[in-house]
Amino acid sequence: MQTSPPETVSPAPARFSDREALLAWLGSRIGIIVAMTVGAGVLSSEQKDTPFLERWTHWDAGLLVKIAKFGYGGDPAENPDAGLPAFFPGMPIALRLVHVIIPDWSLAGLLISFVAGAVAMVALARLAEFEGPAGAGRRAVLAILLFPMAVFLFAGYSESLFLAFAIPAWLYARRGDWPAAALLAAGASCVRITGLFLALALIVEYVTRRGSLRQAWWLAVPFLPLVAYSFYQHQRTGDWLAWQHAQQAGWGRDMVWPWQSFLTTWQMAAGDGQFVWAFRMEVAGALLGVAVLIWLLVARRWSELVYVGLQLSALLFSAYYLSVPRSALLWWPLWVMIGRVSVRRRWVLLLYALVAGPLMVLNTLTFMRGAWAG
């Protein structure tokens, strides 16, 4: 697909898009705080006296703090957690650094996500504007902020920090600045295993754009954090694939055929219990992912197809679907596509907002209560 060269985009629209992205980000953060505060008082009397910051220490946020405090061995006063090596060190290191200034671990995580999310939203707006047409940037930002799993961009999870590296990396790659793209992608690889898929997608982008052979060696840089982390875990545990085996030990995520995974998840979604709606969202997320892959295939966006396809394959070949909708936050081709389409068909964003917005509020309140939200 043809894109306008960067020099054709004037600085003024870029600054305007940046400002809108930051305002949307700030406004949505205020909205979540209001929803959390009001929801605690209206929906659950047990949550009224729970300090605001404690409501953000659930699930992965607490595990990332545990790594930051004690390392991958976990709290020595507790039984060892075999799942901790599944988390890459980028977010724990950031928590440790910010904790020097911010004593409260939960507040440190929220601050990291707030700053990183602002960077990611500006980069997403610029990427969508680069792809065109004008006005796609603000709509792409609104699309991701209204997504049902957007609460994880607020919480002390690693999604915001990953996107703060990954989207600018992709924007620089689209502009042909491979050193900057590689260095930023290396930062993303420090945060999540998804950085591996980004690194492979950059190679495809480089080949399709026929990049200069003199810059090809930069494409190896994003793989270095994965090698370093694997070496560290090997020194600690004797296992080169400790991060992968931790997924199996901590969450039972063995590799199976995709139809087995689908049937297992479908049975969970059709049953009863507190997780039934979560598994229904997982099925919906998987269907969304397949739709995105079909669109990328038809549009011949090969590098983005690799990026999203590898992520989705890793999730759909797991023993059951887990965090598929949350992973969609990282699929910026989806948000750029919604932004581009809604410029010409405004009803698309309106319809999307009417469906996704209420689910986003519901999921935020679900997370607030400590229930599984994705």
Side-chain angles (χ1 to χ4, degrees):
M1 183 171 293
Q2 297 294 324
T3 58
S4 301
E7 60 268 22
T8 62
V9 181
S10 62
R15 289 197 296 269
F16 185 69
S17 179
D18 293 351
R19 184 166 64 251
E20 286 190 324
L22 289 173
L23 287 173
W25 175 251
L26 179 60
S28 66
R29 303 311 88 183
I30 295 174
I32 286 181
I33 292 175
V34 172
M36 293 284 287
T37 304
V38 175
V42 174
L43 299 181
S44 177
S45 59
E46 297 178 357
Q47 291 284 333
K48 288 182 179 180
D49 300 324
T50 303
F52 178 82
L53 294 178
E54 289 187 13
R55 302 173 198 166
W56 296 100
T57 57
H58 304 305
W59 306 103
D60 290 7
L63 295 176
L64 289 165
V65 168
K66 182 182 292 187
I67 297 171
K69 291 173 67 175
F70 305 108
Y72 284 96
D75 189 343
E78 301 176 355
N79 293 327
D81 188 341
L84 292 183
F87 297 94
F88 274 46
M91 186 64 175
I93 291 174
L95 281 166
R96 192 73 184 181
L97 293 174
V98 175
H99 178 67
V100 175
I101 303 173
I102 307 296
D104 188 281
W105 288 100
S106 180
L107 181 58
L110 295 179
L111 181 61
I112 292 170
S113 289
F114 177 76
V115 175
V119 173
M121 294 306 107
V122 169
L124 177 61
R126 291 185 179 185
L127 177 62
E129 290 292 323
F130 180 86
E131 298 285 350
R138 69 174 72 96
R139 291 170 172 81
V141 170
L142 288 175
I144 191 174
L145 293 179
L146 288 170
F147 189 62
M149 299 296 155
V151 62
F152 296 104
L153 298 176
F154 188 105
Y157 275 55
S158 62
E159 275 76 5
S160 287
L161 186 60
F162 175 84
L163 290 175
F165 284 109
I167 299 180
W170 198 253
L171 179 58
Y172 276 111
R174 296 290 286 164
R175 290 174 172 171
D177 189 341
W178 299 106
L183 291 173
L184 286 165
S189 295
C190 293
V191 179
R192 298 175 65 94
I193 185 57
T194 316
L196 171 62
F197 309 140
L198 172 61
L200 294 171
L202 283 176
I203 294 176
V204 177
E205 179 72 9
Y206 182 86
V207 172
T208 56
R209 294 175 66 86
R210 299 180 180 179
S212 171
L213 290 177
R214 290 178 299 176
Q215 293 186 317
W217 70 272
W218 280 102
L219 299 175
V221 173
F223 294 95
L224 297 180
L226 174 61
V227 174
Y229 182 58
S230 297
F231 178 78
Y232 165 76
Q233 289 294 354
H234 178 264
Q235 294 296 106
R236 195 180 73 86
T237 66
D239 184 0
W240 285 102
L241 296 176
W243 54 270
Q244 179 181 354
H245 297 150
Q247 293 277 355
Q248 301 169 343
W251 292 272
R253 299 181 73 168
D254 297 309
M255 298 295 290
V256 300
W257 291 111
W259 53 84
Q260 294 176 290
S261 179
F262 174 79
L263 289 175
T264 300
T265 308
W266 184 266
Q267 291 173 356
M268 294 177 176
D272 297 317
Q274 60 175 328
F275 294 106
V276 61
W277 279 107
F279 282 112
R280 290 173 183 175
M281 290 291 289
E282 295 291 342
V283 173
L287 294 176
L288 173 64
V290 172
V292 171
L293 289 184
I294 293 174
W295 166 67
L296 292 173
L297 180 63
V298 172
R300 298 183 178 182
R301 302 182 72 98
W302 308 121
S303 55
E304 293 166 329
L305 178 67
V306 168
Y307 173 71
V308 177
L310 289 175
Q311 290 182 64
L312 189 63
S313 297
L315 294 166
L316 300 191
F317 279 77
S318 180
Y320 56 94
Y321 297 171
L322 183 66
S323 301
V324 177
R326 177 152 63 94
S327 296
L329 287 170
L330 311 180
W331 303 343
W332 62 78
L334 169 62
W335 313 122
V336 171
M337 182 267 289
I338 293 177
R340 297 180 66 191
V341 170
S342 62
V343 170
R344 298 185 178 91
R345 299 175 177 85
R346 297 184 178 181
W347 61 268
V348 170
L349 186 60
L350 176 61
L351 179 61
Y352 170 82
L354 291 174
V355 175
L359 291 175
M360 184 270 290
V361 175
L362 177 61
N363 224 32
T364 299
L365 296 175
T366 300
F367 185 92
M368 173 200 69
R369 299 174 62 187
W372 180 253

